[in-house]
Amino acid sequence: MTTSNPDLSLQFVGEQSEVALVTLNRPVKRNALNDGLVMALRDVFQNLPKSVRAAVVNGNGDHFCAGLDLSELSERDAAQGVLHSRMWHAALECVEKGTVPVVAALHGAVVGGGLELASACHIRVADESTFYALPEGTRGIFVGGGGSVRVPKLIGAARMTDMMLTGRVYNAADGERVGLAQYLVPTGTALDKAIELATRIAANAPMTNFALMHALPRIAEQPADHGLFTEALMASVAQSAPEAKARVRAFLEGKAAKVQKD
């Protein structure tokens, strides 16, 4: 299924179409991002069907996303540059703070804007072909798609500074080690693993997923006392949902599966 932009496709997975599969479809350009593609991502995540309870973002071809399409980069004055960056911020906010958790399936290049997009997702699955870089520093520019906020939360400001100052490239194993991905899988299997995880996530109670997407990041940035109060409020809201009550009853009645070691 295509969207209004042919560079982005949208499919649905599962018996109830509960997982949206969002695919960057510019393989000749290594799925480099231009404004049209960023706006298409915004539109997709703003308008997901109500049946969707999780999403996967992946890239067609040999790479997830090689960053900003520099061939379409136009000169802007400072005011235009601020507005352009804020447009990207608003679009990727729809991924990070939308209606459903998002899993990124990473392979090949996850570079520049591609890493900014991946960092807006909630879970990242990388295969062994993945490599990460932030080459903006060597190109005389600065990240503008939210990377300065999101990437340090994954790997720390010092590591991001190193990547931008020196052009350091992390391979898949080192990227998983420092926190750029939560899962590392064999080459060619990231999408399958991402869909598996998204399907599992889609089975959660919606309010719990909402709390993990929207409350947990805010709690992490609050003073401890404020965070504990927010936690108490969110826990109360989540457990009051009818689906949550039914799940707790099923567990107490011995009808729900217990936690097992993998």
Side-chain angles (χ1 to χ4, degrees), residues 53-234:
R53 296 176 69 161
V56 172
V57 176
N58 77 116
N60 184 19
D62 296 330
H63 302 279
F64 173 73
C65 177
L68 176 66
D69 189 344
L70 294 177
S71 70
E72 299 187 19
L73 184 65
S74 58
E75 291 188 6
R76 301 180 181 90
D77 63 27
Q80 291 169 330
V82 168
L83 294 175
H84 182 259
S85 179
R86 294 298 288 160
M87 178 267 287
W88 276 54
H89 292 164
L92 294 188
E93 282 269 306
C94 294
V95 178
E96 182 183 25
K97 295 178 180 174
T99 58
V100 299
V102 184
V103 183
L106 308 178
H107 69 291
V110 184
V111 172
L115 181 52
E116 292 185 294
L117 171 58
S119 68
C121 300
H122 305 96
I123 294 177
R124 286 157 296 281
V125 179
D127 81 11
E128 291 172 342
S129 72
T130 304
F131 60 95
Y132 309 88
L134 291 168
E136 287 85 350
T138 62
R139 292 175 180 155
I141 56 178
F142 192 73
V143 289
S148 63
V149 171
R150 295 188 180 100
V151 175
K153 290 179 180 178
L154 302 178
I155 63 174
R159 284 196 172 100
M160 180 173 177
T161 301
D162 176 34
M163 291 177 75
M164 292 194 69
L165 284 176
T166 69
R168 180 174 183 171
V169 177
Y170 278 94
N171 63 27
D174 288 340
E176 191 265 346
R177 175 181 57 82
V178 301
L180 289 170
Q182 294 103 313
Y183 295 84
L184 179 60
V185 297
T187 298
T189 66
L191 181 56
D192 289 342
K193 181 65 174 179
I195 292 173
E196 173 196 327
L197 293 171
T199 302
R200 188 183 308 172
I201 291 165
N204 293 342
M207 185 51 64
T208 298
N209 282 348
F210 180 88
L212 291 170
M213 292 172 60
H214 291 270
L216 188 59
R218 289 173 168 86
I219 290 169
E221 295 181 351
Q222 291 176 338
D225 183 56
H226 295 189
L228 292 171
F229 186 72
T230 303
E231 176 187 272
L233 293 175
M234 198 68 248

Side-chain angles (χ1 to χ4, degrees), residues 12-19 51 199:
F12 301 100
V13 179
E15 294 182 3
Q16 307 296 323
S17 297
E18 65 269 22
V19 175
S51 63
T199 302

